[in-house]
Amino acid sequence: MLSINKISQASFLQGQKPLKRNKLKILFRRKFLYFIVACFLVSIFAKVDLDFLTHFRTSSPFHRLPSQIQILNLGSATPVTKKDSAKINKISTQHLEQANDLKGLALKILENSHYSKVKVFRYHPSKVVVFLDKHKPVLRIESDRIRLLSENGIVFGVGDHSNLPIVEGLFSDRKGKYKLKSKNELIVTADEEKRIQEVLELLALTSQRNIIIETIGFKKYRGFNAVLGSDRMEVFFGRRPFKSKIDKLLEIIERLKKRGQKARKIELDFQDKAFIKEFPFS
């Protein structure tokens, strides 16, 4: 009888081992599934519009200021610069001290930065995530204020990139008020859009020929002029096409250099003609 009981107990214990293994497998699978779902949700947050989340969180009161503001760069593995991070942290802290408004915070960051898209989400009473996305600025441009011009022709943000060339006069004949889209992008007219595309073409062609531009100006009845490099030489290009004019410009510069001279002003905006104001090398 004793031996039968021992055998039965041993069989029972052996039977428990597969059950434990099955429970561990189920637990592991469940945790792995949670991890996959969490990763999926994070990827969704980075892609979709978070306005509905912002609205949901805005409706609940803040019990205290967030102790952590996490800043993430959408669509890029490049981290946000320390300068931008410090600026956004300061704006966020100041805004949340005064108002329980995440949508207002997103707009505040847009108005005071060069970012094209800002989404704010509060996922914990003490934690706020700021998702950022930005155009690549290639020029500063005068409008209602100094803004930025992206490589895709979007006028946006605030022009704090002092290392970029500046475009002046492009909006000088504007009669209406300046208006912005929801993403802090300037609404431009059809004529202004044509001028913007010409500016980008001029910049691209001069960059290809290693011509450094400091300032680009625009006058309605004469077109574009540019101040080049440290010599501050002024060149009048007129309107597009620009390629033949840039070729002509390089020929003139090379010819003057051989003669021991350099130009102060070159006018290429007259058909098949070039007017040069020059002075000798010092």
Side-chain angles (χ1 to χ4, degrees):
M1 185 73 177
L2 182 62
S3 60
I4 293 173
N5 287 337
K6 285 183 178 180
I7 292 170
S8 300
Q9 188 176 6
S11 299
F12 175 75
L13 291 172
Q14 287 176 358
Q16 290 296 305
K17 290 180 181 178
L19 288 175
K20 288 182 179 179
R21 283 198 295 269
N22 288 336
K23 285 182 179 180
L24 289 172
K25 285 181 180 178
I26 292 170
L27 184 62
F28 173 78
R29 288 171 182 170
R30 188 176 296 169
K31 288 185 176 180
F32 182 73
L33 180 62
Y34 289 159
F35 174 76
I36 295 297
V37 170
C39 291
F40 174 74
L41 289 175
V42 168
S43 67
I44 291 296
F45 289 160
K47 292 178 181 178
V48 304
D49 193 349
L50 299 182
D51 283 346
F52 71 100
L53 291 172
T54 299
H55 176 75
F56 174 77
R57 290 299 182 181
T58 303
S59 62
S60 60
F62 288 159
H63 298 292
R64 60 180 181 271
L65 281 173
S67 59
Q68 180 183 352
I69 299 174
Q70 188 176 3
I71 302 170
L72 302 175
N73 202 353
L74 279 175
S76 174
T78 306
V80 179
T81 63
K82 290 182 179 179
K83 181 180 177 182
D84 284 350
S85 182
K87 184 177 181 180
I88 291 166
N89 266 290
K90 184 178 179 180
I91 292 171
S92 301
T93 302
Q94 289 176 347
H95 182 84
L96 295 177
E97 282 177 349
Q98 300 171 5
N100 173 17
D101 181 13
L102 296 182
K103 194 169 185 178
L105 173 57
L107 291 173
K108 193 79 172 177
I109 295 171
L110 273 175
E111 290 170 0
N112 293 276
S113 71
H114 55 275
Y115 289 93
S116 63
K117 187 185 296 183
V118 178
K119 299 176 183 179
V120 182
F121 173 56
R122 186 164 193 160
Y123 66 95
H124 187 274
S126 63
K127 295 179 181 179
V128 167
V129 178
V130 179
F131 292 101
L132 301 172
D133 197 5
K134 63 178 180 179
H135 301 292
K136 182 181 177 183
V138 292
L139 290 165
R140 291 176 296 154
I141 188 166
E142 285 185 348
S143 56
D144 55 329
R145 60 198 296 185
I146 303 297
R147 296 190 179 275
L148 297 168
L149 180 61
S150 78
E151 59 185 351
N152 298 320
I154 304 297
V155 181
F156 69 101
V158 181
D160 55 356
H161 287 55
S162 58
N163 59 313
L164 293 176
I166 188 166
V167 181
E168 301 171 343
L170 195 141
F171 298 102
S172 59
D173 58 344
R174 174 176 278 223
K175 296 178 181 178
K177 293 182 178 180
Y178 292 92
K179 294 182 180 180
L180 298 176
K181 298 178 185 178
S182 59
K183 296 178 181 179
N184 202 33
E185 298 171 0
L186 189 68
I187 298 173
V188 300
T189 66
D191 284 341
E192 290 166 351
E193 175 64 27
K194 288 179 182 177
R195 296 172 190 174
I196 286 171
Q197 295 305 318
E198 287 188 57
V199 165
L200 293 174
E201 181 183 335
L202 179 59
L203 180 68
L205 290 171
T206 51
S207 297
Q208 290 171 10
R209 306 299 294 272
N210 296 317
I211 299 172
I212 299 172
I213 289 181
E214 289 192 357
T215 305
I216 299 175
F218 177 82
K219 293 181 180 179
K220 186 174 181 180
Y221 298 106
R222 191 158 187 190
F224 293 94
N225 66 290
V227 176
L228 310 183
S230 57
D231 292 336
R232 307 288 298 171
M233 178 174 64
E234 187 175 16
V235 181
F236 287 83
F237 291 101
R239 303 297 293 265
R240 64 169 34 145
F242 298 117
K243 188 177 183 303
S244 60
K245 296 173 183 177
I246 292 171
D247 291 339
K248 187 74 172 177
L249 170 65
L250 292 174
E251 289 176 11
I252 291 170
I253 292 174
E254 185 62 27
R255 190 165 64 245
L256 290 173
K257 189 176 180 180
K258 289 179 179 178
R259 289 162 47 187
Q261 295 178 313
K262 62 180 179 179
R264 180 179 297 172
K265 182 187 293 186
I266 300 177
E267 299 179 16
L268 301 168
D269 52 334
F270 297 97
Q271 189 173 3
D272 300 325
K273 293 181 181 180
F275 296 93
I276 305 165
K277 185 176 182 180
E278 59 189 62
F279 52 90
F281 281 111
S282 57

